[in-house]
Amino acid sequence: MQDDYVIKTEDLSKTYGWFIWKKKIPSLDKLNIAIPRGSIFGFLGPNGAGKTTTIRLLMDLIKPSEGCATVLGMPPDDVKTKHKIGFLPDAPAFSPYLSAYEFLNICAKLLKIPSSERKKRINEVLETVKMSEHVKSKLGGFSRGMIQRIGIAQAILNKPELLILDEPLVGLDPHGRLELMEIVRDQKKRGTNVFFCSHILADVERMCDRIGILYKGKMLCIGTLSELLSEKGTRLSIKPGHDNMAKELMVEALSCNKLPDGSWELVFPENNAILEKIRNTKEALAGAITVSASKESLEDFFFRKIEIAKKEKSS
Ligand SMILES: Nc1ncnc2c1ncn2[C@@H]1O[C@H](COP(=O)(O)OP(=O)(O)OP(=O)(O)O)[C@@H](O)[C@H]1O
Ligand SMILES: [Mg+2]
């Protein structure tokens, strides 16, 4: 029977160093996660939380001090399973003397992609990451963002069952970030499971269906975004062309945003008297204003959780 979980860990722990040089505090402390198949999982945490350590353990690049993990139902050192994983490390460094094509060709050989399919597949992934015009250019002349795109291309080369990305958005311009989100969503559509860490919370919120927050080696919380982000106040959406009304209401709002299409989003505290009045205005009745429950943003949730964890540690 196929394992229902794409990644599962039991008390997975890592303390770096040896013998008397061993660090006193583990970098990863008894991590227990079970990520179901079919998800885009966002792994969050401040600098030094242990995200890259977890990824290295899952990729069998380092060994755990305690506990164990399965990836696609197998231990991380299973060679056949490694061929089903696409991996982008946190600071990819590729040989500067190879061209994009030569580098991807080596990756394709290592991944045992048949020689008859290699050229087509390499051109496909270069097209996906919008780097086709640089096929013959040497990697040494690429910018940080271009290297990141090549890193993503090699990660999806083998049409992986699981894609593990460590800070994939680093170095990408806003356009590149949107393109990456599109690539990740496309991967999910074709059945790929995605596990990635990032500090760009707004992008994580847009992309992921599940998240986990790690702090000082310990998991603070894990779940779907809809489970974790609590309802907070009431959202008022105002269609474009009603600026005067929005400006009148914003005085009492907790937050107020004018969106690029000219519409407005205002958040009010729950049971604010103004909401009752608005429900009966001609604008609301004509559908220019809609009232709905507002969710906490991932950014607010993240900082709230980290603050609570900091206070608990110091008390
Ligand atoms: N090779 C190593 N030797 C000793 N300590 C290490 C090593 N790699 C990581 N650490 C320590 O382990 C802890 C977790 O580091 P890790 O790189 O996993 O964090 P991270 O969550 O990926 O951080 P960032 O967001 O900055 O990438 C840190 O305290 C770091 O100093
Ligand atoms: Mg890291």
Side-chain angles (χ1 to χ4, degrees):
M1 196 191 92
Q2 204 185 33
D3 197 326
D4 281 344
Y5 297 107
V6 65
I7 290 171
K8 200 170 174 188
T9 67
E10 277 175 38
D11 289 341
L12 190 68
S13 307
K14 177 70 186 177
T15 308
Y16 287 100
W18 290 89
F19 194 46
I20 54 170
W21 294 280
K22 205 163 180 147
K23 279 181 136 190
K24 288 209 177 78
I25 303 163
S27 292
L28 190 65
D29 194 6
K30 297 195 186 326
L31 181 75
N32 287 289
I33 53 174
I35 302 171
R37 283 179 182 266
S39 31
I40 302 183
F41 183 83
F43 198 34
L44 311 175
N47 292 131
K51 304 178 298 294
T52 298
T53 299
T54 307
I55 287 180
R56 286 189 191 140
L57 288 165
L58 297 174
M59 290 303 301
D60 191 39
L61 298 171
I62 52 173
K63 297 287 178 194
S65 312
E66 267 179 69
C68 58
T70 56
V71 181
L72 298 171
M74 301 301 285
D77 61 359
D78 184 75
V79 177
K80 278 194 186 146
T81 308
K82 285 185 185 188
H83 283 179
K84 297 180 194 167
I85 303 173
F87 174 48
L88 174 74
D90 58 340
F94 309 131
S95 167
Y97 307 107
L98 296 174
S99 70
Y101 187 89
E102 286 162 346
F103 168 67
L104 291 171
N105 198 35
I106 293 172
C107 298
K109 280 184 192 166
L110 291 171
L111 289 164
K112 300 199 170 13
I113 296 175
S115 52
S116 56
E117 291 171 28
R118 262 179 235 153
K119 192 172 177 197
K120 182 169 167 273
R121 187 66 195 136
I122 291 170
N123 286 329
E124 270 171 14
V125 293
L126 282 170
E127 176 71 40
T128 305
V129 298
K130 308 274 187 300
M131 288 291 285
S132 299
E133 61 183 295
H134 302 287
V135 60
K136 289 183 181 155
S137 311
K138 299 278 183 225
L139 299 180
F142 282 9
S143 70
R144 176 80 181 85
M146 290 162 88
I147 287 289
Q148 196 71 350
R149 284 167 192 258
I150 295 297
I152 293 157
Q154 64 77 34
I156 58 173
L157 198 55
N158 56 337
K159 299 186 177 167
E161 207 174 312
L162 168 64
L163 194 52
I164 298 184
L165 310 168
D166 196 347
E167 301 291 349
L169 301 157
V170 164
L172 298 179
D173 58 26
H175 207 72
R177 278 167 44 200
L178 281 181
E179 282 165 9
L180 179 86
M181 283 193 254
E182 209 42 57
I183 293 170
V184 168
R185 284 198 202 102
D186 265 9
Q187 291 292 311
K188 188 187 169 183
K189 268 188 222 151
R190 52 168 296 274
T192 304
N193 304 278
V194 185
F195 179 98
F196 81 102
C197 60
S198 174
H199 291 290
I200 305 175
L201 300 177
D203 289 352
V204 170
E205 190 171 358
R206 266 182 236 137
M207 240 192 304
C208 297
D209 30 45
R210 281 170 193 274
I211 59 143
I213 300 181
L214 197 67
Y215 179 69
K216 298 204 169 173
K218 285 184 186 286
M219 200 58 139
L220 293 184
C221 58
I222 184 165
T224 61
L225 278 174
S226 51
E227 280 162 9
L228 294 174
L229 303 185
S230 54
E231 286 187 2
K232 187 186 160 203
T234 305
R235 177 187 304 270
L236 214 72
S237 305
I238 304 178
K239 286 198 173 155
H242 298 275
D243 286 12
N244 285 342
M245 176 153 225
K247 283 175 191 164
E248 218 174 281
L249 294 173
M250 69 166 69
V251 190
E252 288 200 44
L254 291 173
S255 70
C256 172
N257 252 333
K258 186 169 186 184
L259 305 179
D261 66 353
S263 63
W264 293 79
E265 281 201 356
L266 287 83
V267 176
F268 288 89
E270 209 72 59
N271 303 323
N272 189 305
I274 209 164
L275 294 166
E276 266 320 301
K277 279 190 224 158
I278 284 164
R279 278 183 221 276
N280 299 315
T281 58
K282 65 176 189 321
E283 286 88 349
L285 296 172
I289 301 180
T290 45
V291 181
S292 60
S294 158
K295 288 254 175 194
E296 188 180 23
S297 74
L298 178 58
E299 197 159 292
D300 289 345
F301 177 76
F302 178 84
F303 288 121
R304 185 161 63 81
K305 284 282 167 191
I306 298 290
E307 275 313 308
I308 295 170
K310 271 186 192 163
K311 278 186 192 144
E312 278 172 4
K313 279 238 170 213
S314 61
S315 62

